[in-house]
Amino acid sequence: MTSLNQILVSATSTGLTTATTTYTDGDILGAEMQFDMGTNTYGMILGAQLVDAADIIGAVDLFLFDRSVTFGSDNAAPSISDADALFTLGVIEFPYPKDLGGNRMAHIDSIAVPVKANASGIIYGRLVTRSGHTFFGAAGNLQVNLHFSLDV
C-alpha cells in the first residue's frame, strides 16, 4: 500500500523584461521554471498560487511539461513544435489576481493535474500572460507555488 504526502514546491521567475518594453496578451513571461518534486515521483497537483511582486499582471496561464521544451522567448508569443507539445502535462489557468497593495496574488484550488516527474525529479513550467501590462522591476518578480499530493 502506498501513502500520500502533501508537499509545496516553489519556483521563481527568471528572465522577465525589466526595460521599457510592455507585454501584450499572449506573451511569454520570463524563462522556463523548474519544479523539483522528487525522482520518478507520481502525484497530483491539487492547487497553485502565483505571486506578483511587481503588482502588474492580470490572468496568467502556466503550461507544465515533463521535460524541457522549446517554447519561445520572454515577451514574445509562444512557438512550440508539434513534437514538444506532446510532452504537455497540463495547463493551470490563474484567474485575474487580487491586488494586495504592493503586490498581487492569484490562487486556484480544487484542481487535479496528474503528473510524473522525470528521472531528475523535475517538472517544467512556462508562464503566458492573458492581458497586456507594463514591464517588471526585477527578473524574479513572479513566484509560482504548486501544492502536490505525492504517491510514495
Side-chain angles (χ1 to χ4, degrees):
M1 181 166 177
T2 60
S3 64
L4 295 178
N5 289 338
Q6 300 247 350
I7 64 167
L8 174 69
V9 179
S10 299
T12 300
S13 62
T14 61
L16 293 170
T17 295
T18 58
T20 57
T21 307
T22 61
Y23 286 85
T24 59
D25 181 356
D27 279 353
I28 296 169
L29 295 173
E32 182 176 77
M33 302 177 108
Q34 296 184 7
F35 302 92
D36 187 351
M37 59 181 271
T39 306
N40 291 315
T41 305
Y42 292 91
M44 189 81 63
I45 299 173
L46 303 176
Q49 178 184 36
L50 176 64
V51 179
D52 168 22
D55 194 22
I56 60 173
I57 63 167
V60 171
D61 291 339
L62 172 62
F63 292 81
L64 296 169
F65 302 92
D66 67 359
R67 64 196 71 194
S68 182
V69 299
T70 302
F71 196 75
S73 301
D74 175 62
N75 212 340
S79 178
I80 186 169
S81 71
D82 293 342
D84 277 350
L86 296 174
F87 305 126
T88 305
L89 296 170
V91 180
I92 296 174
E93 298 176 12
F94 288 104
Y96 196 90
K98 304 294 185 208
D99 190 343
L100 301 174
N103 55 52
R104 294 180 187 198
M105 182 179 68
H107 185 84
I108 185 166
D109 344 320
S110 302
I111 58 175
V113 179
V115 293
K116 180 186 183 303
N118 61 22
S120 63
I122 305 295
I123 290 175
Y124 298 87
R126 295 303 302 258
L127 295 170
V128 175
T129 185
R130 293 301 168 205
S131 65
H133 55 78
T134 190
F135 52 91
F136 291 90
N141 273 152
L142 297 177
Q143 179 171 327
V144 176
N145 301 313
L146 298 179
H147 305 273
F148 285 95
S149 176
L150 299 180
D151 188 6
V152 293

